[in-house]
Amino acid sequence: QVRLVESGGGLVQAGGSLRLSCEASGIIVRPYRIGWFRQAPGQEREGVASLSSLDESTYYENPVKGRFTISRGNGKDTARLQMNRLRPEDTGVYYCAVSYGDSWGDPDYIDRWGQGTQVTVSS
């Protein structure tokens, strides 16, 4: 069974940086996309960024382009999300996710979720 373990997150002032990591285990279906969604209080869950296991191509949602960078971690099925120039509107619970499809952004097409980690950006 696929399991996603997240780490990182925390509290930072606006303009600061944080890094999230996600380690997946039990993946047997390939290729897949791994990345993050986030959910602010009272808001719907939205896509942030993803990485393809096939060719390491990346995808970013518009609000984070140029500020966030997703990359493969040290392990085989791991990913990192470097978040720079954080803004208060980036605050929310960030969920690592895996999809066996090729698209990203619709939570209905996610096949596995991590437990979520809180990111809080103060103004």
Side-chain angles (χ1 to χ4, degrees):
Q1 186 171 349
V2 177
R3 182 170 179 240
L4 304 179
V5 178
E6 303 178 56
S7 60
L11 173 64
V12 68
Q13 288 187 333
S17 299
L18 287 173
R19 188 171 73 178
L20 305 181
S21 296
C22 180
E23 181 174 352
S25 59
I27 291 183
I28 60 173
V29 176
R30 299 174 189 274
Y32 62 89
R33 296 198 75 87
I34 186 169
W36 276 266
F37 279 69
R38 67 186 181 186
Q39 188 167 21
Q43 302 294 318
E44 294 185 352
R45 196 169 294 190
E46 62 178 9
V48 175
S50 68
L51 175 76
S52 169
S53 69
L54 180 64
D55 57 8
E56 297 193 12
S57 60
T58 58
Y59 171 80
Y60 298 94
E61 295 289 349
N62 286 334
V64 307
K65 282 182 180 178
R67 301 187 296 122
F68 291 13
T69 301
I70 189 169
S71 61
R72 182 163 298 282
N74 292 330
K76 178 181 179 182
D77 294 317
T78 62
R80 293 173 178 167
L81 184 68
Q82 179 67 40
M83 305 183 291
N84 297 329
R85 291 184 283 145
L86 283 160
R87 304 167 179 168
E89 55 263 40
D90 293 317
T91 294
V93 178
Y94 282 66
Y95 295 91
C96 181
V98 164
S99 170
Y100 301 127
D102 196 41
S103 62
W104 198 258
D106 187 340
D108 289 342
Y109 292 99
I110 294 301
D111 294 283
R112 185 66 62 185
W113 294 100
Q115 78 277 12
T117 187
Q118 179 69 41
V119 170
T120 303
V121 184
S122 62
S123 57

